[in-house]
Every structure is written in C-alpha cells, then in structure tokens.
Amino acid sequence: MSKYERYDEISKNYDKTRSAVGIEIVLGYILTIPEKLENIKVLDAGCGTGNYAMHLKERLPNVISADFSQGMLNKAKEKYELHNQKNDDLIRCDISDLPFKDSCFDAIICNQSLHHLDDENTGFKNHQKFFAHAFKALKPNGLLIINTITHEQLEDGVWWGKLIKPAVDRMKKRFMPDEHLISLLNEFGFVSTEKIVPTSTIIQEKGYFDPESLYRKEFRDGDSHFSLLTENELNSVFNQLNDLTNNGGLSAYISSRDLLRQRIGQFCYIIARK
C-alpha cells in the first residue's frame, strides 16, 4: 500500500468536496445480478469515508467496507451511524491483500483507490495482487467495478491540469493506463470487460468552477494530485492563478480548459465479470 498521502489527516476534509459520483453506474450494474437484493453481498474496496457504501446500504443490507486508513473508516462509521445504517461491517486492511474467503462476494467495487496501491516504480505489483484477490473473492459471474482515471483525463479532465503539471506527471506513474488495466484483468481470468466514461459528471462538484477553491486546503485535500506537489510547485500554481486573475484572463482560461473535460470526462468505469 502506497503511503504518498496522509490518509488519516485527509479524511477530515475529504467529504467537504467529494461525493459518490457515478453511483448510478455502480447501482445499475449491481442490480443486474440475478439474485434477491437481500442476498447480494458487496465489498467496497478502498471505501474511504464510505460515500459509495452509504448509498449502497440504502438498498442492499450486505455491504462490507474496507480501507487501509483508520481515519477514513472512523469517518465512515460516523456517517453510517448518522444515517442509522449498520456500522459494524468496516474492516481495516490493505486491499491488495484482501482477508476474505473465496467466492463470497457478488460484486466488488473500487472507486478511485487503485492509484494508492503502488509507488512510482513498483511495476503495479499491488494492482496485480488486488486483482488476484478480487478474482478469488468473487462468486462465479461476480462483478468487479473499478472507477479510475485515464492518462488523458489526468492531463485535461480538470481545468487546473496544466497548472499542476509536475503532479500530473508523477501521478501518471501511479495510474495504470486503461488499456493495460483491461488487458491485465483478462489475464487474471475476468471476461466481458466494459468501459464507461460519464463525460458530464464532475468529481469535486462543490467549488469546481470557483478559482478560489485551489487556494483552500480543504478543497485540495479532495484531489490527491496536490499532495504530490512540493511547496515551491504549489506556490507556482498560486502565482499562475494570480497572473491570470491580474490580466483578466482567468475566466476565459477556465472555460477553455473545461471544454476538454466535457469531451473526455474526468474518470471512467471499468467493469469486469468473473
């Protein structure tokens, strides 16, 4: 498990900008499982603060939440308690080493977590371990639903992508290209792999178009790119924003950059069946 971000600290601000974007895609696939809802068992691998699991729990009674960060799990538990949901099904573990029996889940979801598994030069070995464990833990015909970001989306899926280019270049080394990911899933035995790109959905919906957001730590905590910037590089981002503001070009810059986001989206879902 990569440690490039201070997960327990980030958990304090995470929900201020992040929500369960794409949950309708996750639910749509889970509801295709030919089983009664009360019998469907789902694992949210890398659950974070439980945004996705909370929505699933509204319809499915058997949702297990797993994450490496105790801080994230604590926030998830608070959220489940607030919504009167079962909260004793949170498990702290490294998702590249899932502690579950074979053939016990109908679906495993993994939302924006894969890039936290490996450091820059590990050859995605922990990705491979996760896929192997997930394949074993899924029942026959079970679903693996992965929310990830393509390299093109890393560059142009947010309007500030060029401003944080050093972080984007580093982040690319943590994100397996989607073509490679699909090929690897097939190597592990998954079939019927699909790719969905929701181009109209924004990950950080709250404050995305407000340029002042980038100056706020609580907003930056919702985008792990910023944790890969040095202090000098972050100051350079602020200087670029100030220059754009002072010359009156910031609004046009955001609008122009967002046209790319509207074309390619910010993330994609890879769905594979055992």
Side-chain angles (χ1 to χ4, degrees):
M1 174 69 72
S2 170
K3 305 296 190 303
Y4 79 89
E5 194 166 17
R6 295 173 291 112
Y7 307 98
D8 291 351
E9 182 68 23
I10 293 298
S11 68
K12 299 174 184 178
N13 287 324
Y14 192 80
D15 286 338
K16 295 178 180 178
T17 64
R18 297 292 288 271
S19 60
V21 295
I23 186 64
E24 69 282 357
I25 296 172
V26 174
L27 280 169
Y29 274 93
I30 289 177
L31 292 177
T32 66
I33 296 171
E35 183 63 81
K36 293 182 179 179
L37 293 183
E38 60 265 27
N39 295 331
I40 294 176
K41 190 172 182 180
V42 179
L43 171 66
D44 186 351
C47 66
T49 61
N51 285 329
Y52 288 86
M54 185 183 71
H55 285 279
L56 294 178
K57 283 170 174 283
E58 293 174 355
R59 298 166 177 82
L60 307 168
N62 297 308
V63 179
I64 305 297
S65 306
D67 202 277
F68 183 77
S69 167
Q70 189 60 52
M72 290 289 193
L73 291 174
N74 291 342
K75 287 292 183 181
K77 185 174 183 179
E78 291 175 8
K79 192 177 302 180
Y80 300 162
E81 290 175 346
L82 183 64
H83 291 82
N84 297 314
Q85 294 177 338
K86 186 178 178 182
N87 58 63
D88 60 352
D89 48 8
L90 295 99
I91 297 174
R92 184 177 186 271
C93 69
D94 185 333
I95 66 170
S96 64
D97 189 19
L98 295 174
F100 302 105
K101 296 179 180 178
D102 292 356
S103 302
C104 61
F105 292 107
D106 296 282
I108 296 175
I109 67 173
C110 184
N111 290 283
Q112 293 296 319
S113 294
L114 286 182
H115 58 288
H116 295 294
L117 294 184
D118 285 286
D119 291 316
E120 291 186 4
N121 300 305
T122 58
F124 296 110
K125 64 179 182 181
N126 289 326
H127 281 61
Q128 297 177 56
K129 289 174 64 178
F130 170 66
F131 296 152
H133 279 281
F135 188 84
K136 289 181 179 180
L138 282 169
K139 298 176 183 178
N141 297 312
L143 293 171
L144 177 60
I145 304 173
I146 296 172
N147 179 328
T148 187
I149 304 177
T150 69
H151 282 204
E152 184 181 21
Q153 290 168 337
L154 287 172
E155 292 180 345
D156 297 323
V158 293
W159 64 262
W160 56 81
K162 279 191 175 181
L163 302 181
I164 61 168
K165 188 178 184 303
V168 169
D169 290 342
R170 293 170 190 136
M171 191 64 85
K172 283 181 181 179
K173 298 177 182 178
R174 299 176 181 275
F175 274 89
M176 182 179 291
D178 50 313
E179 299 89 352
H180 184 185
L181 192 154
I182 291 172
S183 176
L184 190 59
L185 288 170
N186 291 333
E187 289 181 22
F188 276 95
F190 288 98
V191 295
S192 303
T193 307
E194 301 176 49
K195 176 182 174 181
I196 297 176
V197 181
T199 56
S200 62
T201 305
I202 297 174
I203 294 178
Q204 287 176 278
E205 298 171 298
K206 302 174 184 177
Y208 175 76
F209 290 106
D210 179 5
E212 293 297 318
S213 293
L214 297 194
Y215 293 99
R216 296 194 290 268
K217 181 180 183 300
E218 65 181 38
F219 184 85
R220 298 197 304 272
D221 280 352
D223 183 341
S224 56
H225 283 77
F226 288 100
S227 67
L228 296 178
L229 291 173
T230 66
E231 184 176 352
N232 286 339
E233 289 166 346
L234 181 59
N235 287 332
S236 175
V237 173
F238 297 153
N239 290 336
Q240 292 176 77
L241 285 172
N242 292 337
D243 289 344
L244 285 166
T245 299
N246 292 336
N247 65 29
L250 183 56
S251 178
Y253 180 83
I254 294 174
S255 296
S256 174
R257 290 283 299 165
D258 191 60
L259 290 175
L260 297 173
R261 192 271 307 170
Q262 294 174 41
R263 178 176 61 82
I264 66 174
Q266 288 191 332
F267 63 96
C268 67
Y269 270 100
I270 306 295
I271 300 97
R273 191 179 297 273
K274 180 174 177 179

